[in-house]
Amino acid sequence: EVQLQASGGGWVQAGGSLRLSCVTSGFTFDEYAVGWFRQAPGRQHEGISCISSADRSTYYADSVKGRFTISSDNAKNSLYLQMDSLKPEDTAVYYCAAGRPVMSAWSTSGMYYYWGQGTQVTVSS
């Protein structure tokens, strides 16, 4: 059974930091691209960062570039997202996901097979 368990969300003031974790099981972690998406109320899923399966290259949405850092630990089958300089517009439910996207379209949610349950991040101004 494939499982992705996201954690680490919470409430933080603008300018603060949070670190999200995603522990996975049930699939070969390093054979999949793994990434983070978020969904704010009334908005579509937004792909915010990804690590490719081929060479573990990292990708970021412009909205988080320079503030968020994605990383992974293959030995622990885990994915992380360090979020710094948080803004109120970062408020959303954050999901981890795994799939085999075409990397030119890494942020397309339909290319990911497996999803975690989401963790809420709330940034107050």
Side-chain angles (χ1 to χ4, degrees):
E1 180 186 5
V2 172
Q3 291 189 332
L4 291 84
Q5 183 71 41
S7 62
W11 178 89
V12 65
Q13 287 189 322
S17 299
L18 285 172
R19 185 175 189 248
L20 305 183
S21 299
C22 177
V23 179
T24 76
S25 62
F27 64 99
T28 306
F29 184 80
D30 59 3
E31 292 184 358
Y32 285 76
V34 287
W36 292 95
F37 288 74
R38 67 186 180 188
Q39 187 168 25
R43 302 189 67 177
Q44 293 185 331
H45 264 116
E46 176 189 10
I48 56 173
S49 190
C50 173
I51 295 179
S52 73
S53 59
D55 59 4
R56 309 316 272 178
S57 295
T58 57
Y59 299 78
Y60 296 93
D62 288 343
S63 58
V64 305
K65 198 172 294 182
R67 300 187 298 120
F68 290 10
T69 304
I70 192 171
S71 62
S72 64
D73 185 335
N74 289 355
K76 295 182 178 180
N77 294 331
S78 294
L79 175 68
Y80 308 97
L81 186 69
Q82 177 67 39
M83 305 187 294
D84 298 318
S85 302
L86 282 161
K87 303 176 181 179
E89 51 263 43
D90 294 318
T91 295
V93 178
Y94 284 68
Y95 300 88
C96 53
R100 290 180 172 147
V102 175
M103 296 317 296
S104 59
W106 65 267
S107 61
T108 303
S109 60
M111 293 193 179
Y112 290 76
Y113 309 144
Y114 309 127
W115 291 82
Q117 86 289 1
T119 185
Q120 176 71 46
V121 171
T122 303
V123 184
S124 65
S125 57

